[in-house]
Amino acid sequence: MTDRDLLSTVFAALADPTRRAILTHLAQGPTTVGQIAEPFAMSRPAISQHLRVLEAAGLIERTVTAQWRTCTLRTEPLDEIASWVDRHRRYWDERFDLLEDRLRAGRDAPTTPRPQEENR
């Protein structure tokens, strides 16, 4: 998967508030699927679908031990997104700083008086 595909997949996974809430819950540590589903007013199959999307984006890892299905947060894709955002933030900060300098230079430049239009 290319970086752009990874970014698109991760951003799409993060676009849903339920999936973001699941990731917030998993930030506290590995959790069973049942514990993840508890706070949500939706079916287990719906939760499983959200987990599949998060897993496909590389944001979680699911393991099975006996009858327990545990999910663990994976931060590498979030690190990739943070890096992408930082690169773009630096670029736009530089562009805005340059614009500010030019606007300030234009404002501070001495102005030459305009010739008065003749009254006709």
Side-chain angles (χ1 to χ4, degrees):
M1 186 179 303
T2 66
D3 286 346
R4 185 170 268 323
D5 292 339
L6 174 65
L7 287 174
S8 296
T9 303
V10 174
F11 276 125
L14 294 174
D16 185 275
T18 299
R19 292 192 284 267
R20 290 192 306 270
I22 290 170
L23 292 177
T24 299
H25 184 77
L26 288 173
Q28 299 168 12
T31 307
T32 65
V33 172
Q35 291 169 323
I36 291 170
E38 283 177 10
F40 299 102
M42 62 179 64
S43 68
R44 291 280 175 111
I47 290 293
S48 290
Q49 179 59 36
H50 284 296
L51 294 175
R52 277 193 290 280
V53 171
L54 291 170
E55 189 174 29
L59 291 164
I60 67 167
E61 182 177 16
R62 291 198 279 185
T63 56
V64 178
T65 307
Q67 74 271 22
W68 305 108
R69 285 160 177 68
T70 303
C71 295
T72 304
L73 178 66
R74 293 189 62 233
T75 59
E76 298 87 358
L78 297 173
D79 295 339
E80 288 292 322
I81 286 193
S83 175
W84 183 86
V85 168
D86 286 342
R87 280 193 312 273
H88 285 80
R89 179 182 295 132
R90 280 193 306 273
Y91 171 79
W92 284 108
D93 283 345
E94 290 170 7
R95 303 300 296 175
F96 286 131
D97 289 346
L98 180 60
L99 177 61
E100 182 180 21
D101 291 346
R102 289 189 178 176
L103 290 172
R104 187 174 288 130
R107 184 187 66 207
D108 296 340
T111 58
T112 56
R114 289 184 176 173
Q116 295 281 335
E117 287 189 31
E118 294 180 27
N119 291 333
R120 294 186 186 184

